[in-house]
Amino acid sequence: MSKIVRLVVVAVLLTRASLAASHAEQIDALLSAYNQKRQFNGSALVAEKGNVILKKGYGMANMEWQVPNTPDTKFRLGSITKQFTSMVIMQLANEGKISLDQKITTYLPDYRKDTGDKVTVRNLLSHTSGIPSYTSLPGFFENQSRDPYAVADFVKKYTSGDLEFEPGSQFSYDNSGYFLLGAIIERVTGKTYEDALRERIFDPLGMSDSGYDRSARVIPKRAAGYVLATNGYENAPYLDMSIPYAAGSLYSTVEDLYKWDRALYTDKLLPANLKKTMFTPVLHDYAFGWSISTMKLDDSKTEVPTIGHGGGINGFNTVIIRMPETQDLVVLLDNTSRGDKLDDAAHGVVDILHGIPASPPKFSLADELMKMILSTDADHAIARYREIKANEPGKYNLRESELNTLGYMLLTRGKKGDATKIFQLNVEAYPNSWNVYDSLGEAYAALGNRDLAMSNYRKSLELNPKNTNAVEALKRLESPAATTDRPLLDKYVGTYELAPGFNLTITREGDALFGQATGQSKFEMVADSPTEFHLSVVKASITFAADGSALTLHQNGRDVPGKRIK
C-alpha cells in the first residue's frame, strides 16, 4: 500500500471514529438531560452498526443506599420478556414439537375446550386470540398481584375467560396469551419456563446476567423499583413474579440485551425462515413478541424501519429498538416507572444516530399542573397552563398526551370534576383530535352527565369512525333505563365482597344506583331489568339476586360473584 493511500485510509478511519465519538457525546448529553429532569433513571446501551458506542448508568439503582446504576445493573424487563417466550415457542416449532396453527388444547388438554379449541398458538403469539387479559380484570392488581400462584392454578382462574372476539379477527394486547405460551413451553419441554429459557437462550448466548426475577432470591446488582411522586420517589408496590410469568417476569442488563440483539442477526438460535415468520406482522404491526414499525425522525422526512418492544412493570419501564438495516440498537432500562418519557428519549437517540439534532427534554406539563392541583385547585392549574403556553412554550411539553395523562391521573384519584376541567382544556387546545373528545366523554360519564358524555363520544366518532371505544360507550349510554322504583333499588344498597379486601359498595342517589369498588371512583348504574344493570363508564354489567343477598359482576368475559357483607 502506498504512503498516500495509507494516509487516506487512516484519515477515513479517524473521521469515522470522531463521528462515533460525537454521537456518543450527544447521546450522553441527551440522556443526562433527561436524568436531570427526573425523566430517565436507569442504564443505557447504544450500538451503531453493531458496535457499542455508549453504555452507561444514570441515577440510582438503590436510592435508599445511594447505589448508582451501571451497565451491569439488573432491571426487570416487563413485556420485553415476550420476545424471549416467542423465541422458545419458535424453537419448539422448528423441532416439530409445536405447530403454530394447532389449537392450544392440543398442548394444554386441561384448558376449557369450548374456547381453547378455537384458539391457536399463532393467535397467542400475535395477540389475536380473543382471550381476555388478566391485567384488565377489575381490582386485579389491587387484590391479586401480591399472591403467588402455581401456573396451572393461575391458568384456570385468570386466563380462561370467555372470548371477546373471534380468534384471528382482531388485535388486543393480551398478557393472558403469553402466560398460556409459558404453560405450553412447560408442558411440551417437561421443564420449568425458567429452565427452558436458561438452557435454550441465556446459556448459549452467555447472557449470565439474565433470568427469572424472584423476590426471594438474592440477585447481585438488582435495581430497586420506584414510582415518581409529587415531591420525590416512592418504593414501587410489591408484585409477586409468578403473576407476570412468561408475559413479563424476566430481568436483564443492557449488556446482555446487546448479546441478544447480535444473536438475532445469526441463525444460532433459530433458522432464517422461522425468524422471518417471527418478525412478520400479523395485525396492528405486531409480529410474535415484537412490534414492527417505521419511525419518523425529527427532520420530518427520514423514516427508519425498526423492530422493538417496550415493557412496564411495577417500578420499571424498558425499551429496546433494533434497526436491522443499519444494525443500530437502543436499549433503555429505567427503574422509576417513567414510561411516559422513555419513548421520547429513545426517539432522540435514534435521531442522533442518523445525524439529526435531538429535541431536548422538556419539563412535564402533567407533573407541573398536578402539583398545582394538589396544592390549590384545577382552576389555578389551568391559569398556570395559559401562562406557560403564552410565556414559556419551549420549556414545557405541551403535547395532547400531557393533559390527557393528567386528566386520567385525576380520574383515578376520584377527582372527577378536576379531571373534567382538564379534559375540557385539552379539547380547547386540540379541537381536531378524536381522542380528547373520547376522554372528555369518559369524564362526563363518570360525573353522571349522560347527555354531555354522549355528545363528546359522537364528536369523537365523527373525527374517527373506527373508535370502537366510543361505539361501545354510546351503546351503554343510549340504552334506555328499565323502570324501577326506589324500594326495589334500596334492596340492593349495601357492600358486596368480590375478593378478599376488594368490595363493591352500592348506594342510591335519587332514582339511580351507583357503585364504587375499593380504591376506585364512583360510577352510575343503568337498569336493564329489575335485577340487571349496566355500568355507564365501562363495558360491564351487574346482576343482583332478587333479595339483594348477592350480585355478579360481568366484565371481560368473566362472572365475578359477590356476597353481601353489609
Side-chain angles (χ1 to χ4, degrees):
M1 182 184 294
S2 71
K3 184 176 181 180
I4 293 176
V5 172
R6 190 180 301 114
L7 288 173
V8 170
V9 170
V10 171
V12 169
L13 292 174
L14 287 173
T15 301
R16 288 178 179 171
S18 65
L19 283 173
S22 176
H23 284 174
E25 290 166 357
Q26 291 176 58
I27 292 167
D28 183 33
L30 179 71
L31 296 179
S32 295
Y34 272 95
N35 175 250
Q36 290 163 10
K37 287 182 170 62
R38 300 199 308 173
Q39 296 177 14
F40 176 59
N41 184 93
S43 295
L45 183 144
V46 179
E48 191 168 19
K49 296 180 174 60
N51 299 309
V52 175
I53 62 170
L54 179 139
K55 58 177 180 178
K56 184 178 178 180
Y58 299 81
M60 296 294 150
N62 188 299
M63 296 183 182
E64 292 161 317
W65 285 91
Q66 291 292 290
V67 177
N69 279 314
T70 64
D72 59 353
T73 300
K74 299 179 178 72
F75 295 78
R76 287 183 176 175
L77 296 182
S79 286
I80 286 180
T81 297
K82 292 179 172 67
Q83 59 200 248
F84 294 96
T85 301
S86 167
M87 174 58 79
V88 175
I89 289 290
M90 296 302 289
Q91 289 176 335
L92 293 172
N94 182 52
E95 295 163 14
K97 297 175 181 176
I98 283 178
S99 169
L100 299 183
D101 295 309
Q102 185 61 266
K103 58 189 181 183
I104 63 174
T105 46
T106 302
Y107 311 109
L108 300 175
D110 296 331
Y111 195 82
R112 56 183 289 192
K113 289 185 65 63
D114 61 327
T115 57
D117 281 353
K118 299 178 180 178
V119 176
T120 66
V121 175
R122 189 184 300 273
N123 295 146
L124 298 182
L125 287 165
S126 58
H127 297 303
T128 60
S129 71
I131 297 171
S133 182
Y134 62 89
T135 50
S136 299
L137 296 175
F140 179 83
F141 280 107
E142 295 89 342
N143 300 285
Q144 306 300 327
S145 60
R146 300 178 66 87
D147 301 327
Y149 276 89
V151 172
D153 293 340
F154 194 89
V155 166
K156 185 175 181 179
K157 190 169 184 179
Y158 291 112
T159 67
S160 303
D162 296 338
L163 297 181
E164 295 180 326
F165 53 81
E166 188 67 21
S169 65
Q170 298 181 41
F171 173 93
S172 181
Y173 194 85
D174 184 15
N175 286 304
S176 292
Y178 271 78
F179 197 103
L180 291 170
L181 289 170
I184 290 172
I185 288 171
E186 293 199 354
R187 181 64 70 99
V188 171
T189 63
K191 302 177 184 293
T192 65
Y193 171 77
E194 179 178 6
D195 287 344
L197 261 67
R198 187 182 68 251
E199 293 174 11
R200 289 172 168 271
I201 300 176
F202 298 149
D203 285 351
L205 299 185
M207 296 175 64
S208 57
D209 289 328
S210 303
Y212 196 118
D213 192 2
R214 299 186 184 278
S215 299
R217 182 178 296 161
V218 175
I219 301 177
K221 299 185 179 181
R222 173 166 53 183
Y226 302 93
V227 292
L228 184 66
T230 305
N231 296 313
Y233 292 98
E234 297 177 353
N235 288 305
Y238 175 80
L239 173 68
D240 189 274
M241 295 306 286
S242 66
I243 303 298
Y245 184 51
S249 65
L250 300 183
Y251 69 84
S252 191
T253 65
V254 294
E255 293 176 322
D256 267 10
L257 291 176
Y258 170 69
K259 295 177 182 177
W260 168 239
D261 168 73
R262 298 313 302 161
L264 292 174
Y265 288 107
T266 73
D267 295 340
K268 183 170 185 177
L269 297 177
L270 195 67
N273 63 316
L274 286 180
K275 277 194 301 178
K276 182 178 180 181
T277 300
M278 186 171 69
F279 290 133
T280 299
V282 178
L283 290 177
H284 281 246
D285 296 326
Y286 199 91
F288 294 171
W290 294 92
S291 292
I292 315 299
S293 62
T294 299
M295 181 183 293
K296 193 166 187 176
L297 304 189
D298 282 348
D299 63 352
S300 299
K301 58 183 180 181
T302 304
E303 296 185 343
V304 180
T306 66
I307 300 173
H309 212 287
I313 197 167
N314 295 23
F316 295 85
N317 275 97
T318 58
V319 66
I320 179 171
I321 300 175
R322 306 178 65 240
M323 288 152 273
E325 290 189 353
T326 55
Q327 296 197 17
D328 295 344
L329 171 71
V330 178
V331 181
L332 300 180
L333 307 180
D334 185 289
N335 61 317
T336 58
S337 285
R338 289 315 303 259
D340 57 328
K341 306 302 178 189
L342 207 59
D343 286 342
D344 287 342
H347 193 288
V349 174
V350 178
D351 278 332
I352 292 170
L353 289 173
H354 289 80
I356 299 166
S359 299
K362 297 181 179 181
F363 287 104
S364 168
L365 182 67
D367 291 349
E368 173 77 4
L369 298 188
M370 177 58 92
K371 291 177 186 177
M372 298 261 338
I373 291 171
L374 294 178
S375 62
T376 56
D377 54 37
D379 292 332
H380 283 84
I382 291 170
R384 174 63 177 145
Y385 167 81
R386 299 195 190 285
E387 177 187 329
I388 289 171
K389 193 171 183 180
N391 302 321
E392 304 174 281
K395 186 176 179 181
Y396 287 87
N397 184 348
L398 298 180
R399 289 184 299 192
E400 171 193 329
S401 58
E402 286 285 317
L403 288 176
N404 220 47
T405 295
L406 176 60
Y408 280 108
M409 288 168 64
L410 292 167
L411 269 185
T412 58
R413 289 170 177 254
K415 295 179 175 291
K416 293 179 282 189
D418 288 344
T420 302
K421 290 180 179 180
I422 295 301
F423 288 133
Q424 287 171 336
L425 184 64
N426 217 14
V427 166
E428 175 191 316
Y430 296 95
N432 296 318
S433 166
W434 64 269
N435 190 54
V436 297
Y437 292 98
D438 185 274
S439 298
L440 182 55
E442 186 170 342
Y444 278 129
L447 282 172
N449 193 325
R450 188 177 304 169
D451 290 340
L452 284 176
M454 290 191 294
S455 174
N456 280 278
Y457 278 126
R458 289 184 184 119
K459 180 63 176 178
S460 179
L461 269 179
E462 178 186 320
L463 293 169
N464 177 16
K466 295 183 179 179
N467 180 9
T468 56
N469 181 66
V471 172
E472 293 297 329
L474 284 169
K475 285 180 182 177
R476 294 193 302 271
L477 291 164
E478 290 171 347
S479 298
T483 302
T484 55
D485 54 33
R486 293 187 179 185
L488 173 66
L489 298 179
D490 285 338
K491 288 200 304 182
Y492 304 142
V493 172
T495 300
Y496 301 79
E497 185 182 54
L498 297 178
F502 186 67
N503 300 328
L504 181 60
T505 300
I506 306 297
T507 56
R508 179 180 63 79
E509 296 180 18
D511 294 324
L513 284 184
F514 288 80
Q516 185 167 16
T518 301
Q520 300 180 19
S521 56
K522 187 165 61 174
F523 53 83
E524 185 180 359
M525 300 162 56
V526 181
D528 299 313
S529 76
T531 59
E532 297 172 317
F533 295 74
H534 69 264
L535 279 57
S536 61
V537 181
V538 296
K539 187 179 179 181
S541 61
I542 289 174
T543 302
F544 288 96
D547 61 358
S549 62
L551 61 73
T552 302
L553 172 66
H554 312 285
Q555 188 173 11
N556 294 327
R558 291 188 167 278
D559 300 323
V560 183
K563 184 178 180 181
R564 184 169 179 162
I565 57 175
K566 288 184 183 178

